[in-house]
C-alpha cells in the first residue's frame, strides 16, 4: 500500500504491579500481553498540530466512527480523514489512542500519554480511547475486529493496571449512541469483558 502499511510496532504489557488486573489470565500470558499495531508513519499520519495535555489512564473506553466501512482497504484513508477533521476543530491530533479496522488491524493514533478529545459531554482525561472503524448502529462488528478489540483491551488492562470492569462504551459516559448497538451489546452483555478476562 502507498503508505508502507506493513510497518508494525509491538505494544507490550509488563508484568508486575498490574499482573492481577487481567483476571483469569492463562499461565502463558501471566507475565506479558502484546499487541501488534500499524505505526503512525505507516498509515500516513500528519504531525500533531498543537500541544497535548498529559493524563494517567484509569479506564478503557470503546468508540465507533459512526460511518459504515465496507472496504477494509479504505481504513488507512479513514484514519487520515479523522485526523484532518479533528485537527480542523483545533485539537492537536486524532481524538483516539488506538484504532481497529474490520480485518482486525490495529492503528497507532494519538500518544497514549495524551488526553483524548471529544465533542460530547464528558471529560476524556484518564480514558484510553479505542476507535472501532464502522457504524455499528447499521452493521455488526466482524469477528476479527472483536478479537482485535479483546487483544487491545486485555493489553490496556495489563499495561495500565485497569480492572476489567472499567471497560465501558462511550455511551456509558456521555449522551451518545456510540459505539452503536451492534458493538455496545457485546459490552452490555459482558461478552467482551469475559473474553478479556480469558485473554
Amino acid at each position: 500500500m502507498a503508505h508502507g502499511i506493513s510497518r508494525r510496532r509491538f505494544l507490550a504489557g509488563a508484568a508486575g504491579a498490574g499482573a492481577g488486573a487481567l483476571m483469569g489470565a492463562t499461565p502463558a500470558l501471566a507475565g506479558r500481553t502484546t499487541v501488534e499495531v500499524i505505526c503512525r508513519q505507516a498509515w500516513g499520519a500528519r504531525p500533531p498540530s498543537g500541544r497535548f495535555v498529559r493524563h494517567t489512564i484509569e479506564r478503557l473506553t470503546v468508540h465507533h466512527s459512526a460511518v459504515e466501512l465496507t472496504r477494509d482497504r479504505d481504513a488507512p484513508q479513514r484514519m487520515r480523514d479523522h485526523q484532518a477533521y479533528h485537527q480542523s476543530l483545533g485539537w492537536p491530533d486524532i481524538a483516539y489512542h488506538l484504532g481497529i479496522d474490520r480485518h482486525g488491524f490495529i492503528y497507532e493514533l494519538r500518544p497514549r500519554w495524551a488526553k483524548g478529545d471529544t465533542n460530547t459531554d464528558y471529560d476524556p482525561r484518564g480514558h484510553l480511547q479505542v476507535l472501532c472503524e464502522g457504524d455499528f448502529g447499521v452493521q455488526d462488528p466482524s469477528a476479527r475486529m472483536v478479537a482485535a478489540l479483546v487483544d487491545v483491551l486485555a493489553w490496556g488492562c495489563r499495561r495500565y493496571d485497569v480492572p476489567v470492569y472499567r471497560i465501558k462504551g462511550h455511551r456509558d459516559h456521555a449522551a451518545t449512541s456510540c459505539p452503536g448497538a451492534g458493538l455496545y451489546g457485546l459490552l452490555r452483555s459482558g461478552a467482551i469483558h469475559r473474553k478479556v478476562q480469558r485473554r
Side-chain angles (χ1 to χ4, degrees):
M1 288 184 124
H3 290 276
I5 205 67
S6 64
R7 294 185 62 178
R8 303 284 202 268
R9 271 191 194 142
F10 288 90
L11 306 177
L22 193 60
M23 305 273 305
T26 63
L29 292 173
R32 203 162 178 82
T33 303
T34 60
V35 175
E36 184 180 29
V37 301
I38 297 168
C39 67
R40 285 172 59 91
Q41 183 180 359
W43 61 263
R46 302 178 182 185
S49 59
R51 298 182 66 179
F52 295 112
V53 175
R54 286 191 172 271
H55 74 153
T56 300
I57 291 170
E58 300 173 341
R59 60 191 71 247
L60 313 179
T61 303
V62 179
H63 300 257
H64 75 158
S65 63
V67 178
E68 192 171 1
L69 180 66
T70 55
R71 297 190 314 168
D72 204 70
R73 66 183 178 182
D74 294 338
Q77 181 62 52
R78 288 283 184 84
M79 300 301 172
R80 295 192 292 273
D81 291 345
H82 296 324
Q83 185 189 40
Y85 173 63
H86 291 178
Q87 289 179 325
S88 79
L89 298 175
W91 301 344
D93 210 332
I94 189 169
Y96 312 100
H97 298 102
L98 294 164
I100 305 171
D101 68 22
R102 287 186 62 78
H103 282 184
F105 293 112
I106 302 162
Y107 298 76
E108 176 186 43
L109 304 181
R110 82 164 46 194
R112 295 178 303 282
W113 53 261
K115 178 180 77 69
D117 282 295
T118 182
N119 272 326
T120 59
D121 55 349
Y122 83 109
D123 182 357
R125 187 185 308 268
H127 294 248
L128 179 73
Q129 300 202 113
V130 181
L131 171 68
C132 292
E133 189 64 48
D135 184 348
F136 303 111
V138 299
Q139 63 185 144
D140 290 323
S142 69
R144 283 189 281 188
M145 173 179 276
V146 171
L149 177 61
V150 167
D151 285 347
V152 165
L153 296 174
W155 169 82
C157 286
R158 171 75 67 197
R159 173 65 179 81
Y160 296 105
D161 197 16
V162 174
V164 171
Y165 71 83
R166 287 192 184 166
I167 298 169
K168 302 285 186 182
H170 185 184
R171 69 170 69 179
D172 292 314
H173 302 292
T176 176
S177 63
C178 180
L183 184 51
Y184 186 69
L186 298 175
L187 292 165
R188 184 181 55 203
S189 70
I192 293 286
H193 299 77
R194 290 190 293 273
K195 288 175 183 290
V196 170
Q197 286 181 326
R198 289 195 295 270
R199 177 71 174 87

